[in-house]
Structure formats: C-alpha cells, structure tokens
Amino acid sequence: MLFPFLVSLVGLFFLLANAIRFYTTCKNRDILYRIITAYLVLLFCVELLCNIIGFLYPNSNFFLSHYYFLFQFITLNLFFYKSFSNKRLKKIMIIVFVSVLLFLGFQYYNRPSLYWEFNLVEVTITSIPLLFYAFYFIVSNLKTDKHNYFYFCNGLIIYLTSSAGIFLSGNTDSVILTEPFLLDFWFFNSLFYILYQFLIYKEWKALNFRRKTKKNINEKFQ
C-alpha cells in the first residue's frame, strides 16, 4: 500500500506547486487565470484531506469524491462559459449545469447513504460535459494565433478520460500486482493525475512567458 500512496503524494505535491504558482501570479490577470487558480486551490484542499483520511482510515474517504467532482464541475463550467463566445452554446451550458446540480441534489436527497459511497452517476454527468467543452475549446481555437489554455485543456481531456474510464469500468478495487508491491488501478489514476498537473505547469509557464514577452515589447516601444 505504501508505494501507490507515495505516488499519490507526488500528484498532491505537483497540485500544491501549481496552486502556489497560479496564486502568486494571479494579480492583475484575466478572469480565466483567476478561475484556474481557484480551481487548483479548492482541489488541493480536497486532495489533502483525501490523502490524510485515506492513510489514517483506509476506504473512509469516499465522501470527499463528491466535493472533488462538484468543485471541478462548477469551476470549470465557469471557465469554459467565460471562454466561449457562442451564445447558443452558453445557453446550453447553463441548462446542463442547472440540470446536473438539480439531479444530484435530488439523488442525494432521495438516497442519503450515497454520500458515503462512490457515485458513478455523478462521475459520468460531471465529466462528460467538461470533456465536450474542452474538445470544443481546442477545435474552435485551432485557427487562431492565440493558443492560451491549450495545455490545460489537453491535460483535462487526458485525465478525465482516463479517470472516468477507471471509475466507470468498476475496476477501482482491482489489484494488478502484489509483488514486489501492491499495484492497483488507483496507481494508474495517480499517474494520469501527475501528467495532468505537469501539463498545467506547462500552461502556467507558457502564459507567463507570453505575458513577460508582451511586457518587454511594450516597454521597448514606450
């Protein structure tokens, strides 16, 4: 159990580093930058609690997954809503957003015990819209010179596809290896999460490089 836990801690460390990077550089930045900052900070808080509780009380941290997926769904919906200019798509986004929250609210009201379990329906209906928005964002911006947030969206697609696939396959408890260390599907989920955080770091680096370059050009011609 120790090795997969250490790998998950690496992902947590990368998440913390990215949250700090974005937070310390978010002053006077656009709304999209600030939304990603809030997204990273919120997810770090949830992931930290998840790792602490999971280490001290194994299999007792499932309830935190609801906060993870809801925080992710809410903040990234806002991110893509602010990114898109298509008014029809933005109306559809509002309808989907409200429908998902109402459905989940009714589901937990009707079955309170679900709060302490993994909710596969929640994983599905909060992940699929974000995947669609990320794909649309990339495709709709391919012909533009401004490629901000491409690393972020590509990382989101890779991570959501892999994690949702693992959760929905029902293999979250499957063990692949027992020697020389325990290796299960959570390990692969942690690896994809590390890749996602690496691409977020690449996004931060690219955004700040472009900002610094633009600032230097402006100062040169003043």
Side-chain angles (χ1 to χ4, degrees):
M1 289 294 291
L2 183 59
F3 180 72
F5 179 72
L6 291 176
V7 174
S8 70
L9 286 183
V10 173
L12 182 64
F13 171 78
F14 277 112
L15 173 58
L16 173 60
N18 283 331
I20 292 173
R21 288 187 185 103
F22 273 85
Y23 181 79
T24 55
T25 55
C26 72
K27 187 177 181 180
N28 299 324
R29 305 304 290 264
D30 61 31
I31 185 65
L32 298 181
Y33 198 94
R34 284 179 277 156
I35 291 171
I36 291 182
T37 301
Y39 165 68
L40 294 172
V41 171
L42 285 171
L43 291 198
F44 172 74
C45 294
V46 175
E47 285 279 2
L48 179 62
L49 286 174
C50 186
N51 277 272
I52 292 173
I53 295 174
F55 182 76
L56 296 176
Y57 308 101
N59 299 322
S60 299
N61 56 358
F62 291 158
F63 71 98
L64 289 169
S65 67
H66 311 311
Y67 297 100
Y68 181 92
F69 286 110
L70 281 176
F71 286 159
Q72 180 170 261
F73 181 69
I74 292 170
T75 53
L76 295 188
N77 259 275
L78 181 59
F79 173 85
F80 287 116
Y81 184 84
K82 292 293 185 179
S83 302
F84 300 148
S85 57
N86 188 312
K87 292 183 179 180
R88 180 176 296 180
L89 177 59
K90 294 178 85 165
K91 289 180 181 179
I92 293 173
M93 289 181 68
I94 293 174
I95 294 172
V96 171
F97 179 77
V98 173
S99 299
V100 168
L101 293 185
L102 286 176
F103 179 84
L104 290 176
F106 173 78
Q107 192 181 36
Y108 287 114
Y109 174 79
N110 191 51
R111 187 185 163 191
S113 62
L114 194 61
Y115 178 77
W116 304 103
E117 306 169 11
F118 256 132
N119 186 350
L120 296 182
V121 174
E122 179 181 66
V123 176
T124 304
I125 64 177
T126 59
S127 298
I128 290 178
L130 296 180
L131 279 170
F132 172 79
Y133 302 150
F135 272 117
Y136 181 85
F137 179 92
I138 291 173
V139 172
S140 62
N141 287 282
L142 281 176
K143 295 182 180 180
T144 64
D145 295 328
K146 188 177 180 180
H147 290 167
N148 289 348
Y149 303 106
F150 266 38
Y151 286 117
F152 175 75
C153 287
N154 277 294
L156 181 65
I157 290 170
I158 293 170
Y159 175 67
L160 284 182
T161 302
S162 59
S163 63
I166 291 171
F167 291 139
L168 297 178
S169 69
N171 289 323
T172 53
D173 294 325
S174 297
V175 176
I176 301 170
L177 293 174
T178 56
E179 296 293 340
F181 48 77
L182 181 68
L183 187 64
D184 57 15
F185 275 88
W186 287 112
F187 172 77
F188 291 101
N189 186 58
S190 297
L191 287 182
F192 282 115
Y193 195 73
I194 291 171
L195 174 60
Y196 178 34
Q197 293 304 317
F198 172 73
L199 290 173
I200 291 176
Y201 163 70
K202 292 278 289 182
E203 188 63 67
W204 174 84
K205 192 174 181 180
L207 288 171
N208 283 277
F209 175 77
R210 294 188 193 108
R211 187 170 190 253
K212 186 177 180 180
T213 301
K214 184 178 179 180
K215 182 180 179 181
N216 290 337
I217 292 173
N218 291 337
E219 289 176 350
K220 183 177 180 180
F221 290 96
Q222 281 181 351

